[in-house]
Every structure is written in C-alpha cells, then in structure tokens.
Amino acid sequence: MNRLARLIPPQCIPSPLPAAAASPSALQGHAPGLSHDASLSGARILTVRALMAANAHLGHSVADMHPNMLSFVHGSRAGICILNLDHTLSQLRRACNLARDVAREPRSRILFVGTRRAIHRITVDAAMSCAAGFTTKWIGGTLTNRERVLRRSVRFDPDTVSQKAFANIGGSVDGDGGDGASGGEILSRQPIVPVPDLVVVLDMKNNMHAVRESNQLNIPIIAITDSDCDPALVQYPIAANDDSLSSVRLIAGLLARSIREGRLRAANA
C-alpha cells in the first residue's frame, strides 16, 4: 500500500460523496482543487509507472487470451499475458475525454456497472463521487425491457395497463369498463425510465448482458477489458487487469474525476 500511495496520484482515487450532494454546486464544493480549466486532470498526470504499480499490466493465462486482444498484449511471462501499458494509457486518456464531454451535456446520465462482489464498494464510491448512477446487480432486460423489469419496484405492469387502456378506449372487456379512468390517464401513469448516455463497465466478463443491451440501444460503452475479453464489443476499451482491486480503483477514480470535471465545467459555463 505504501508503494501504491507513492506512485498513484491521490487525485485518481475516488472518494465517497453523500447521496444528497448531486448538484453541480455540491460537486464544486467536494473538489476544492478543481478549477474551471482543470489543467491538472488525473489522466494527464497518470504514468505507466502508476499503472504498473496498480498491477494493471497483468492479464490472464495465455491459453485464455482472446484473439482480439493480441494487439494490446506486450508478451507473456510464466504463462501469463503482459498487457501493453502504452496502449492502456492512451485508451484511458481517450475514455476520460469522452466521459468529460458526456458529463458536460445538460441532463446527461452516466451509469457505472460493477457486479463482482469484490468491486461493489469501488463502484459505489466512484459513482457517488461524481453524482452518477451505479448498479451492483444486473438483471437481463434492464435497458432493453426496462419498464417490465422495473415493474415490481414501481408497481407498474405493462400488460395490465394495456388491457385497461384498451377497455377504456374501445369499449369494455367482459362488461367491465375499467376503473373509470380514461386510456390516456392510465398510460400517463407509465414510469419514465431514462436511458443512460454512457455506460462504464468495470468487469466486462461478468456483464455481457449489459454490453449487449447497451450496443442494442447504441449507448457508448467504456469497459475494462482483460486479456480474456473481446474489445471489439465495446466502443472504448481499456486494456487492463480487472481482477486487481487497485487497478479497478485507479481506472474508476480517473473516470469519476473526469465526469466531475465535466459537470463542473457545465455548471460554470
């Protein structure tokens, strides 16, 4: 830990933010050293040495390497893939620029996804530090079938509402005209489930459903791709070790800081 503390810039480590602090003014108060120009961005001061200290260069075994990851692998040692951190650094900077640009858009929504139990706290801290959304358990259809998946939490059943709306618009069903409300009033009760503008996946291997659903809805994806993942499935892959907690914490902290910078720039614009 002392070695990591010396090599990894403290700006890259996410810090939790209270749930009520979701406004740009709260973000500005949370980061007193963050100016409007953000000249000391975490991605700019990050080095290959810091990535190596976080064990971001260690991949899986050579036998498990995905063919599409070959261009991001530097070599192998003792049967373990060694990732090329030069590619990782450039990919991380590009992902941070994208996260910053998306956060600058008004009413932008960014979702952090980390379902492995070991990175639950990292996912929550990174999302809360930049007022973003997060999930530690992905249910199939969360994006592509979101109204039906979330019907239990909001007490909304699309099938029941459709039947009641048809009964009130076109007549009665089985002699019952419904509860007296018009079809438009019933349909207006449908909960609005927003679609995120950017999805950040911290453990891609365990969240292939999230990747497929995001691609189906044309949502850009930033994902940590280990040597056993397919980087062609995401738009902004970051070749790094997703099993190391220090590596995931470093990357998540950098992305959270970039999002915080983008929201602060939007607030000062």
Side-chain angles (χ1 to χ4, degrees):
M1 290 300 297
N2 294 333
R3 181 169 67 103
L4 289 176
R6 292 196 304 268
L7 295 179
I8 297 179
Q11 298 91 336
C12 304
I13 306 301
S15 56
L17 190 68
S23 61
S25 59
L27 290 172
Q28 187 171 4
H30 180 66
L34 187 61
S35 61
H36 175 68
D37 56 355
S39 58
L40 294 178
S41 177
R44 298 179 185 177
I45 62 179
L46 186 67
T47 61
V48 173
R49 186 181 180 187
L51 289 172
M52 184 171 293
N55 295 325
H57 61 291
L58 300 177
H60 287 269
S61 63
V62 177
D64 296 334
M65 184 186 68
H66 197 279
N68 291 339
M69 283 293 296
L70 184 61
S71 58
F72 304 127
V73 174
H74 177 73
S76 62
R77 184 171 184 177
I80 302 297
C81 293
I82 305 299
L83 300 176
N84 192 334
L85 294 183
D86 290 330
H87 290 294
T88 303
L89 188 60
S90 62
Q91 292 172 342
L92 185 55
R93 287 173 175 169
R94 187 179 67 153
C96 288
N97 291 333
L98 172 70
R100 187 181 300 108
D101 293 339
V102 172
R104 292 182 65 180
E105 297 296 328
R107 304 180 64 86
S108 60
R109 302 179 181 91
I110 301 176
L111 177 65
F112 280 79
V113 181
T115 59
R116 197 169 74 246
R117 183 177 297 273
I119 65 173
H120 281 182
R121 177 50 53 187
I122 298 176
T123 305
V124 174
D125 289 348
M128 292 182 63
S129 66
C130 59
F134 65 89
T135 178
T136 57
K137 182 180 179 181
W138 189 270
I139 302 176
T142 299
L143 293 179
T144 56
N145 199 16
R146 51 193 179 276
E147 287 84 5
R148 191 177 300 276
V149 170
L150 299 177
R151 64 184 177 183
R152 293 182 178 178
S153 60
V154 297
R155 295 184 178 180
F156 172 82
D157 192 339
D159 295 334
T160 303
V161 169
S162 299
Q163 294 172 7
K164 290 183 178 180
F166 177 78
N168 284 272
I169 293 175
S172 61
V173 178
D174 295 333
D176 185 7
D179 57 358
S182 63
E185 292 177 354
I186 295 177
L187 292 178
S188 64
R189 301 175 189 173
Q190 178 173 347
I192 300 176
V193 183
V195 177
D197 302 299
L198 177 65
V199 175
V200 179
V201 182
L202 301 181
D203 52 337
M204 177 179 171
K205 196 70 174 180
N206 300 327
N207 293 285
M208 292 306 299
H209 286 292
V211 172
R212 295 189 186 98
E213 292 180 24
S214 300
N215 287 328
Q216 187 173 347
L217 297 179
N218 297 322
I219 302 174
I221 308 172
I222 298 176
I224 301 177
T225 56
D226 211 329
S227 60
D228 60 342
C229 299
D230 185 3
L233 298 178
V234 297
Q235 291 75 25
Y236 298 90
I238 302 175
N241 184 7
D242 62 358
D243 294 323
S244 172
L245 296 182
S246 56
S247 173
V248 176
R249 184 180 294 108
L250 175 63
I251 296 174
L254 282 169
L255 294 173
R257 178 178 173 83
S258 300
I259 296 172
R260 200 161 57 238
E261 291 175 1
R263 297 197 190 281
L264 184 57
R265 289 185 180 183
N268 295 334

